[in-house]
Amino acid sequence: MSEANQMSEMTQVSEAKWYVIHTYSGYENKVKANIEKTVANRHLEDKILDVRVPLEEVQETRGGVTKMVQRKMFPGYVIVNMEMDDDTWYVVRNTRGVTGFVGPGSKPVPLTPDEMWSLGLAGGDMPTAQKPKIVVDFEIGDMVVVIAGAWNGTEGAIQDINPQKQTVTITVELFGRDTPVEINFAEVKKK
């Protein structure tokens, strides 16, 4: 491989970031499959690297029977690891079921390292020694303002506090419905 090709390949890897796209509710898996199909057809594997629908395992009880099931962490959202340019933006934005990228106006905002870590996208568990613990005086019901990341400027009341993950959950209004959003302690301040 020539030095120019190696440099080009390294540049592409360093330019790829994780973005959040909004989809019609219930279309998350279809959107993921459609993007992956388009990537293969247009040979964009070097620009759109990964498409995920974040899932979590939860304990569910129905009819007296308790079992572990996988549930979408963020219904109506899909995350994409991609190099943002006109072609990739067009492919993702014009996929059936996609309503847009998360970000102000039409400008997609990549996830911050802390947001990536909280979603498990930072390459596994981050050792506690590398992740400083943040001590906060928040209580459930307190109003906070998001000061960083894709939700910058958003205000909401704290619904849940998770000291182990170092996150708070606030409810934000998206397209006319209340949606719970998990935000890192470092990205919020008391109002």
Side-chain angles (χ1 to χ4, degrees):
M1 183 182 284
S2 76
E3 191 174 320
N5 284 347
Q6 284 179 327
M7 188 62 110
S8 168
E9 202 170 288
M10 288 190 320
T11 303
Q12 286 175 347
V13 170
S14 67
E15 291 177 11
K17 293 183 169 58
W18 286 97
Y19 294 90
V20 179
I21 55 176
H22 189 264
T23 69
Y24 292 123
S25 188
Y27 277 69
E28 301 88 356
N29 292 329
K30 289 179 187 175
V31 165
K32 178 184 185 302
N34 287 340
I35 290 173
E36 289 171 342
K37 185 176 177 182
T38 304
V39 166
N41 289 341
R42 294 190 181 195
H43 304 291
L44 293 171
E45 295 89 349
D46 60 333
K47 290 186 173 190
I48 299 178
L49 308 174
D50 197 1
V51 183
R52 295 189 189 176
V53 178
L55 300 172
E56 62 183 346
E57 267 203 26
V58 293
Q59 191 173 1
E60 185 177 270
T61 304
R62 286 190 182 189
V65 178
T66 301
K67 62 181 179 178
M68 295 300 285
V69 296
Q70 285 197 327
R71 184 174 65 186
K72 293 178 183 104
M73 288 174 70
F74 308 108
Y77 295 93
V78 174
I79 54 176
V80 181
N81 188 9
M82 62 188 276
E83 179 182 318
M84 185 61 70
D85 63 23
D86 290 342
D87 291 338
T88 57
W89 180 90
Y90 182 85
V91 164
V92 172
R93 181 63 186 88
N94 290 294
T95 298
R96 176 174 285 169
V98 171
T99 60
F101 282 92
V102 171
S106 61
K107 184 180 185 323
V109 176
L111 293 173
T112 65
D114 278 344
E115 290 167 331
M116 290 169 38
W117 183 80
S118 70
L119 288 172
L121 301 173
D125 291 336
M126 185 178 284
T128 322
Q130 292 180 353
K131 184 80 174 157
K133 290 284 184 192
I134 299 170
V135 178
V136 294
D137 62 342
F138 301 147
E139 292 180 12
I140 292 176
D142 286 350
M143 287 298 291
V144 293
V145 178
V146 181
I147 57 173
W151 298 103
N152 191 8
T154 304
E155 296 180 9
I158 295 177
Q159 305 298 314
D160 188 38
I161 301 172
N162 187 331
Q164 291 167 321
K165 285 176 70 179
Q166 298 272 288
T167 60
V168 295
T169 301
I170 64 171
T171 302
V172 297
E173 185 175 323
L174 281 175
F175 302 100
R177 72 175 196 211
D178 285 340
T179 305
V181 177
E182 196 172 68
I183 309 284
N184 192 291
F185 282 172
E187 296 179 350
V188 293
K189 70 175 184 178
K190 237 182 191 179
K191 186 171 179 193

